[in-house]
Amino acid sequence: MSKYDRALERIDAAHKDDPNIITVNNTTKPYELHYAEKMTFYLERLNPTAPELLRLAIRAQHLRRWEVPRNSYPATKIGYHSWRAGLQRRQAALVEEMCTEAGYSVEEATRVGAMVKKADLKAGDPDTQTLEDVACLVFLDDQFDKFEKDLGDEEKMIDILRKTWGKMSPAGRDEALKLELSERAQTLVQKALAG
C-alpha cells in the first residue's frame, strides 16, 4: 500500500467515526464521509490531475468536525470566525499527524495542513484556491438548501452567496453555474449575482 493510500485510509477511518448519519440514494453513511466524497468528486471535475497532497487536503477538509460543534462557541460573528479558525488549526494538526504516520515527510504533511487551514489562499496559492473552490461547490450543491431554510433570512443568504462567489476562481464559478440547484437556490443565486 502506498503512503497516499495509507493516509487516505486513516482520513476516511476518522470520517467513519462521525455519529451523524445521512441517507443518499438509499445508501446510509456517516455525514463526514459523505462530505469528503463530495469534495473528492468536485476536485475530479475541477482538476482530475491534482497532486496527491491536494487530494489529501481536500479529503481532510472537515476532519472530525462534528467533535467541535458550532454551538460550542458564542452565537456571534466573532464566535463564528473563532470556531472556523479553531477548526482549521485542529483539522490541520490531525491530518498532518495522519500523513506523517502514513510515511509522508514533515514538510509534505505541513503542506497538507497549510491547505486545510487555507493559509496561502490570500497569497494566491493555486492548490489552496482549488480547495476553496471545491468547498464552495459542495456548499452550493449539498448544503445550501438546508442552510438557507435554517437561516430563514433571504437578504443574509444573498449576502452569503455573494461572499461565496467572491471566494471562487473563474474555473470554480464556471463549475458552479453548471450545478443543478433547487428552484429556490437558483432564484437566490440569480439575485446574488445580479447585485
Side-chain angles (χ1 to χ4, degrees):
M1 185 181 283
S2 70
K3 62 185 177 181
Y4 173 79
D5 289 331
R6 287 192 299 270
L8 193 61
E9 186 176 76
R10 284 171 167 78
I11 292 166
D12 282 351
H15 292 321
K16 290 175 185 174
D17 288 342
D18 184 0
N20 302 296
I21 303 300
I22 187 170
T23 302
V24 178
N25 299 328
N26 297 320
T27 302
T28 302
K29 64 177 65 175
Y31 177 76
E32 290 300 339
L33 181 60
H34 164 77
Y35 179 88
E37 289 171 348
K38 278 279 190 182
M39 291 287 288
T40 297
F41 171 80
Y42 280 107
L43 176 61
E44 289 298 323
R45 288 180 65 165
L46 282 178
N47 185 359
T49 61
E52 64 185 49
L53 297 182
L54 173 57
R55 290 178 180 280
L56 293 172
I58 288 282
R59 199 68 172 201
Q61 172 67 8
H62 278 183
L63 192 58
R64 303 193 78 81
R65 186 175 186 160
W66 75 90
E67 293 178 336
V68 185
R70 170 64 185 96
N71 65 10
S72 64
Y73 283 75
T76 62
K77 188 174 184 176
I78 292 171
Y80 172 75
H81 289 292
S82 298
W83 172 69
R84 289 279 305 268
L87 277 174
Q88 288 174 334
R89 287 189 303 273
R90 183 177 188 270
Q91 292 159 348
L94 289 169
V95 75
E96 286 173 25
E97 182 179 345
M98 290 176 181
C99 286
T100 54
E101 288 173 353
Y104 284 97
S105 69
V106 171
E107 182 181 62
E108 290 169 321
T110 300
R111 172 73 176 133
V112 174
M115 284 186 277
V116 168
K117 288 188 287 191
K118 300 179 188 173
D120 299 324
L121 184 60
K122 290 183 180 176
D125 178 73
D127 287 343
T128 305
Q129 181 60 59
T130 298
L131 186 143
E132 182 68 29
D133 286 343
V134 169
C136 291
L137 289 167
V138 173
F139 168 70
L140 291 169
D141 174 46
D142 197 56
Q143 301 169 326
F144 178 89
D145 289 320
K146 182 181 183 320
F147 184 84
E148 191 267 334
K149 183 180 175 187
D150 292 346
L151 184 63
D153 185 324
E154 183 172 306
E155 287 306 312
K156 280 186 182 176
M157 196 66 236
I158 289 170
D159 184 54
I160 289 167
L161 284 168
R162 286 181 181 141
K163 288 176 182 173
T164 300
W165 196 256
K167 294 178 188 178
M168 298 175 79
S169 71
R173 291 174 183 168
D174 287 347
E175 195 61 41
L177 293 173
K178 297 174 190 173
L179 294 175
E180 293 182 26
L181 301 175
S182 68
E183 194 172 310
R184 173 72 176 151
Q186 288 176 27
T187 299
L188 290 174
V189 167
Q190 286 171 1
K191 287 182 178 182
L193 297 183

